[in-house]
Structures are given as structure tokens and as C-alpha cells.
Amino acid sequence: MRSGVQFAGIFLSANLFCLLKLCLGEDPYVYFDWRVSYITASPLGVQQQVIAINGQFPGPILNVTTNWNVLVNVKNDLDEPLLLTWSGVQQRKNSWQDGVSGTNCPIPAGWNWTYEFQVKDQIGSFLYFPSLNFQRAAGGFGGITINNRVIIPLPFTTPDGDITLLIGDWYTKSHKELRKELEAGNDFGVPDGVLFNGLGPYRYDESLVPENIAYLTVNVEPGKTYRLRVSNVGISTSLNFRIQNHNLVLAETEGSYTMQQDYTDMDIHVGQSYSFLVTMDQNASSDYYIVASPRFVNSSAWAKATGVAVLHYSNSQGPASGPLPDPPNEFDPSYSMNQARSIRWNVTASAARPNPQGSFKYGQITVTDVFVIVNSPAELINGKWRTTLNGISYFTPSTPLKLAQQYNVPGIYKVDFPNRPMNRPAKIDTSLINGTYKGFVEIIFQNNGTTVQSYHLDGYAFFVVGMDYGIWTENSRATYNKWDGVARCTTHVFPGAWTAILVSLDNAGIWNLRAENLDSWYLGQEIYMTVVNPEIDKSEVPLPDNIIYCGALSSLQKDQSQRFDFSSAHQVSHVGRIELVALLMTVLQIVMRTKT
């Protein structure tokens, strides 16, 4: 009997020690249980199937704080495989959680999988979405807010409210129909609309907006200042964001606090996120329009594809009416270019931020590798419509690259992506960039197409140091901003132009570099970069216990017999930590007395 008590005491002591360590630590755990499924919705007045999370479209905001550990148990109730990617979360030394085809086997229909990652040394506004099979065109997306730790001050007065706005182009065709259109070489044409948080436009014009469309109303109090986090979650359309009669003070973009400059509007390209401080300083004679309208289009047919929400003061004297606030001149290509160049990093802000090679002075670091990456629009390769980067259209193997690397599976990929376009026919291949660990890399994106393209790099924040129209040359470096170029994870390239970034490869793993424009991405505009630490690094996260196997490693996979539900799990936070520690110490003392 005594040995049983001793065993129980040891067991309880070990578990209490783990809980005690968790409570005393500075990095709490938060748990989420998400069911991803189809629901029926009518954002533009036409019933269609959309992807929801826990019945919500868009999905819930993932609201966490710097260094928190996040566990998201995802149940796939779709009729096809699923992965969620956490766009902008750097997954420090943990590309196992990145949620893209090169790092993870898809979650089969009917299965669940738990993501576990830390938002290490990050703040800011980001987004998540499904990364496979064009599913983002049907929803499944949501905002990510990473707050400063309490001890780290904001570089501005604490806002009176925090509001997330997800804007994006939208089609009433299903994502399955849209991807068939792409595969057949067809253009999507003008979107059916632009949504605000999954809702259609306010009826500002009876000839353009049908009746009975549900629209978004943002309720505010006069005289207060709000932080608006705005992300473009659409398929391929750049959008101009503006609020009637209100000034936008840019405060942050994708994890970097910016110099607080005033804008009347902001071009937000696919996959990009911005934070604005907006003060409610108008007389509220009526409600005000919030507008997201397509950019870089000149057809009158695009007028129907304008997203309109309503800003409603509590003392408003009537509904919004009259014409929408004017967009920028579509025939002035310099407007958006100069606006993008004007965004500057706040180099004095106190917050988690990139610190390449121990120096915030990125412009003084020696570049170790240069890649000039040139895109090409869709063309027929081996009878299939494909897009390319440096003449290579990415082929997705059935075995994820990260798993193949872990198990030394031969023949899955090659590490031979060219650092410049080669004079050879375009091809479909699985070719990776060989990134030098702790190297400092210059990447130039050259856009030879006719539309704005956005590019995103997982695992890192990079410095946007230059952009211009024309062809990049070695002399273009003379125009680089080597002091306060903003650090972010998604940049854009204007048609017939280039954009240059610098990135410190201090995060070991396999990382996805992709076009955020879904049509370009789906047809092959993506690459993976392998960054291997040549030394044994015990801090690099090992293969997860719950890994899903597929492809050449399918035989290692066991059937999933049950799903784990966090919905009733205890969440330890800073609140009440002292009381919980005291309780644990009391229980531990009782256990020790029992043992003696």
C-alpha cells in the first residue's frame, strides 16, 4: 500500500512540478479548438458554399501576445484535404508548423491535427488562411493579432478600441470551379464584389448594388481613436482603402511599427496587412463610407467590384449618402509607387523586431548571396497552364520536403534553384534555394507581367529597400534605403517594375517563398528555401509526435481513432498565477506528508 502511495506521490509531484514551472514561466499557453467546415452564405446576395471556422465566416481572430505558446486543434470537416498557414508568424526554428505543402502532409477530410507554435519575439497584424487547393477563395481566413507584452510600451497612445477589417475580392463561383477555370487557361474576369469581413457592400448606388445585401457597420464613439488592422485576404486584386473625411495614421505593418505618417488612402495589395490610427473627429452629420476599391484597372465594369462598409458614430444624425470618396488617379503610376516608398520603419520603437546579426543597421551588413527572381505569366508547359519563377514552375511532391529531408528520402527535390533566369525552356520541377544559415541575402523580384504581384516569405521578416519601374540593374542599388526600410513579410511588385529586399537567414528550416496572388501561386509561382544549421542546435524543434505521414512515408502513418478537444482545457495565463502557485505548493506539501 505504501509503495502505491509513494508512486502516486511521485506521479503527482512530477505533474505539479510541470504545472508550477508553467505558472512561474513568462510564456503562457493558449488553446483553441477549430472545426473547419462548409456553411451556406450569401455575401453578395447569391447563396454559395463558403469555408467557415466554428461556423464563423471569416474565422475568429487569433488574439495572442508576444512569446505566447499557441495550440490550435483543427478538425477538417471539408470534403478535401486541408492545411492552415499562419502568414507572418515566423515559427522560429519550427517549420513543422508552417502549414504549407512543403512542410506538412495535408489533414485528411474527417481528421484533426493540432498546430503548436510560439509567437516568439513578434508583434503586429497578420492573417491565417487555407494554403491548399485554392481554398482561400472560399474563405477559411481570419486575422492574427500579436499584442505587445505589458512591459513593452506602444509607440503611440493606447487606442480606445482595436478593430480588424478583412477586405478582398470575391467571386460567387466556388473555389473548385475557379481552379478549373485556371487549369483551362481562362481569366477570372472582374470579381463579383469586394467583401468587408465576409459581408457585401452598403447600397451606396442602387444601380450597382442590389437590395438586401448585408453590410458591415463599424460602431464608434466621437472623439475616440481606434486602431484599425486592415488585411487584403483576396485572390488577386489590389485594393485602395479609405474612410470618408477621415485621416489614416499609419502605425504598423506586418510586425513593424512605422513612422506615423498621415494618409488619405492606402493601396493594400494581396496578402498585406496594415494598422492605422483613426480619430473620430468629424461632426457626425451622417454616417461615413469605408471603401475598398480595385486598383490598377481602367474598365468601367470594375465599378461593381467596390467594397463599402459604414462608419457609424453613436451620435450620427443619418445614413451615409452621396458619392464615394474619390480614389487615386488610375492613370498616375507614380502615386502608388511613391506611397509605398514613403513607408518607413520606426527604428526607435520599443518592441520585438528584426535584429540581423546583432545589428539594427541592416544597411551595413555584407550581402552573401543575390537572387534575381523574374516572374512569367501563365504559359503552356507540357500541355498544362503554368506560371514560373526564373523559368521553373514548382511541382508539389506527394512527400513534403521537410519530411523528406528528415528521413533522407531520395529523389523528392533538388537544391539547384538558379539565382538568375537561365536561357532555357520553362519547366516544371521541385527545385529549392540553398540558403546559407546566417547568411544575408538580397532578393530582387522582377515583374514582367501586366498585374501587380505580391510575394511572401515564411519564417522571416525582410527589409524592403527599394522599388522602381523598369529593369533592375546593379546600379539600382544606389537607390536603396539602407537605414529605415520597413521590415515585413509580404511585399508587392508593380507591373514592369522591380522590388528589392534584404533578409537575414537566421531561422533554420524549410521556408516557402510564394506569390500571394492565388492564381499565380496555384499555377506554380512558389519556391522553397532550405536553411540548415551545420551545427547541432538543440533549440530547433524536433519532429512533432503527432506528425501526419504521406507520400513515400505513408506506411508510417497510423489511423486516427479519436480527436483531441481543447474546448474544456485549462488555460494558464498571468492572471491568478500567484494564487495557483500557492494552491500547487499546498497540494505538494500534502503529498510529501503522505509519503512520509
Side-chain angles (χ1 to χ4, degrees):
M1 181 68 180
R2 181 177 176 83
S3 62
V5 172
Q6 286 180 325
F7 176 80
I10 294 171
F11 177 80
L12 286 171
S13 298
N15 282 278
L16 289 170
F17 173 77
C18 291
L19 283 173
L20 186 62
K21 182 178 178 181
L22 178 63
C23 295
L24 290 174
E26 291 301 316
D27 303 327
Y29 283 73
V30 288
Y31 306 89
F32 302 92
D33 197 40
W34 286 3
R35 184 182 298 271
V36 182
S37 65
Y38 295 116
I39 64 170
T40 299
S42 306
L44 294 174
V46 178
Q47 277 200 350
Q48 62 183 120
Q49 199 176 62
V50 303
I51 296 176
I53 297 177
N54 293 346
Q56 299 179 46
F57 168 71
I61 297 171
L62 189 68
N63 193 342
V64 295
T65 296
T66 302
N67 292 344
W68 280 16
N69 297 283
V70 182
L71 286 85
V72 185
N73 178 41
V74 175
K75 173 70 186 304
N76 178 13
D77 278 346
L78 303 180
D79 58 358
E80 55 187 7
L82 169 75
L83 284 174
L84 291 181
T85 190
W86 318 93
S87 185
V89 176
Q90 292 176 14
Q91 310 289 4
R92 300 295 299 176
K93 301 182 181 180
N94 189 16
S95 56
W96 295 113
Q97 307 296 325
D98 204 25
V100 287
S101 65
T103 58
N104 297 85
C105 291
I107 306 169
W111 283 41
N112 74 291
W113 197 70
T114 301
Y115 292 87
E116 182 175 358
F117 55 87
Q118 185 180 28
V119 288
K120 180 69 173 173
D121 296 336
Q122 286 191 262
I123 56 92
S125 310
F126 307 98
L127 51 97
Y128 64 83
F129 56 84
S131 64
L132 301 179
N133 297 322
F134 220 73
Q135 290 166 351
R136 192 176 82 201
F141 45 72
I144 300 175
T145 295
I146 306 180
N147 303 289
N148 281 29
R149 292 185 297 156
V150 175
I151 61 173
I152 304 297
L154 292 169
F156 44 79
T157 303
T158 302
D160 298 295
D162 197 300
I163 299 167
T164 294
L165 297 176
L166 304 176
I167 59 177
D169 56 2
W170 189 259
Y171 293 83
T172 55
K173 287 183 178 180
S174 73
H175 71 285
K176 297 177 183 178
E177 292 175 295
L178 289 173
R179 70 192 187 208
K180 286 181 180 178
E181 293 279 344
L182 270 184
E183 291 165 358
N186 297 327
D187 185 85
F188 290 155
V190 179
D192 295 305
V194 168
L195 304 189
F196 269 88
N197 288 2
L199 298 173
Y202 172 76
R203 200 176 191 206
Y204 68 97
D205 186 325
E206 293 183 1
S207 67
L208 294 173
V209 183
E211 293 182 296
N212 302 319
I213 299 291
Y215 60 87
L216 177 69
T217 299
V218 177
N219 295 304
V220 295
E221 295 294 328
K224 294 188 179 298
T225 297
Y226 295 80
R227 181 174 182 173
L228 271 58
R229 302 175 189 262
V230 188
S231 298
N232 186 335
V233 296
I235 296 175
S236 60
T237 305
S238 297
L239 297 172
N240 181 265
F241 176 81
R242 55 198 185 275
I243 303 178
Q244 185 180 28
N245 294 355
H246 287 74
N247 197 45
L248 306 175
V249 180
L250 182 62
E252 175 260 336
T253 179
E254 297 165 20
S256 287
Y257 289 121
T258 62
M259 298 302 294
Q260 292 166 35
Q261 301 180 80
D262 295 346
Y263 296 88
T264 57
D265 60 83
M266 178 64 70
D267 286 341
I268 304 179
H269 306 280
V270 178
Q272 293 185 336
S273 299
Y274 289 92
S275 282
F276 304 102
L277 301 176
V278 182
T279 300
M280 305 306 147
D281 55 6
Q282 298 300 299
N283 60 17
S285 58
S286 68
D287 293 340
Y288 298 93
Y289 295 125
I290 308 175
V291 182
S293 59
R295 285 285 276 143
F296 310 105
V297 295
N298 53 21
S299 168
S300 59
W302 283 79
K304 71 170 186 177
T306 297
V308 182
V310 169
L311 184 71
H312 175 74
Y313 283 53
S314 61
N315 62 340
S316 174
Q317 299 173 35
S321 61
L324 300 179
D326 290 334
N329 184 353
E330 285 294 342
F331 301 99
D332 181 6
S334 64
Y335 181 89
S336 190
M337 176 73 77
N338 290 335
Q339 183 185 76
R341 288 171 173 163
S342 72
I343 300 171
R344 293 287 192 263
W345 195 27
N346 185 340
V347 296
T348 62
S350 298
R353 56 179 174 152
N355 183 19
Q357 300 184 13
S359 171
F360 291 116
K361 300 178 180 179
Y362 66 86
Q364 298 179 11
I365 299 173
T366 301
V367 170
T368 57
D369 297 283
V370 179
F371 286 85
V372 179
I373 298 179
V374 179
N375 70 12
S376 294
E379 60 182 302
L380 280 172
I381 305 176
N382 300 336
K384 296 182 178 180
W385 286 100
R386 305 288 297 187
T387 55
T388 63
L389 296 173
N390 283 5
I392 298 176
S393 185
Y394 181 77
F395 173 77
T396 303
S398 59
T399 307
L401 310 173
K402 183 69 175 170
L403 269 177
Q405 185 184 70
Q406 175 78 17
Y407 285 90
N408 295 314
V409 180
I412 302 298
Y413 61 86
K414 294 174 284 188
V415 186
D416 63 353
F417 187 84
N419 62 3
R420 279 174 170 76
M422 302 184 70
N423 186 20
R424 63 186 183 189
K427 64 177 182 176
I428 301 172
D429 205 353
T430 309
S431 177
L432 277 61
I433 291 176
N434 187 11
T436 303
Y437 183 63
K438 292 191 176 180
F440 197 62
V441 179
E442 178 184 12
I443 300 176
I444 298 96
F445 298 103
Q446 181 76 53
N447 182 3
N448 287 343
T450 58
T451 60
V452 179
Q453 296 289 316
S454 297
Y455 291 97
H456 174 90
L457 177 60
D458 285 344
Y460 299 97
F462 50 71
F463 298 96
V464 182
V465 295
M467 59 178 65
D468 204 352
Y469 289 106
I471 303 297
W472 182 89
T473 68
E474 304 281 341
N475 294 332
S476 301
R477 293 193 178 105
T479 67
Y480 284 7
N481 176 356
K482 295 186 177 182
W483 167 241
D484 60 356
V486 72
R488 61 188 311 167
C489 56
T490 306
T491 191
H492 61 280
V493 194
F494 295 105
W498 57 267
T499 295
I501 66 172
L502 297 174
V503 58
S504 176
L505 302 184
D506 59 353
N507 191 14
I510 289 182
W511 304 107
N512 187 221
L513 174 61
R514 61 177 177 267
E516 282 287 35
N517 302 58
L518 271 186
D519 47 357
S520 300
W521 182 9
Y522 183 76
L523 293 179
Q525 276 194 14
E526 67 175 316
I527 323 163
Y528 283 84
M529 179 186 297
T530 176
V531 182
V532 177
N533 186 347
E535 301 176 359
I536 296 175
D537 185 357
K538 293 183 179 179
S539 66
E540 188 170 344
V541 178
L543 179 77
D545 293 336
N546 66 340
I547 197 73
I548 296 175
Y549 294 96
C550 56
L553 299 170
S554 295
S555 61
L556 299 178
Q557 182 60 47
K558 297 179 180 179
D559 288 338
Q560 191 172 67
S561 59
Q562 63 182 5
R563 88 182 263 257
F564 186 60
D565 191 342
F566 281 123
S567 58
S568 59
H570 182 66
Q571 299 187 32
V572 180
S573 66
H574 295 280
V575 179
R577 177 178 294 153
I578 295 175
E579 291 83 354
L580 186 54
V581 170
L583 175 61
L584 290 173
M585 292 299 292
T586 301
V587 175
L588 186 58
Q589 289 173 359
I590 294 172
V591 170
M592 296 307 293
R593 289 197 199 102
T594 304
K595 288 171 62 177
T596 57

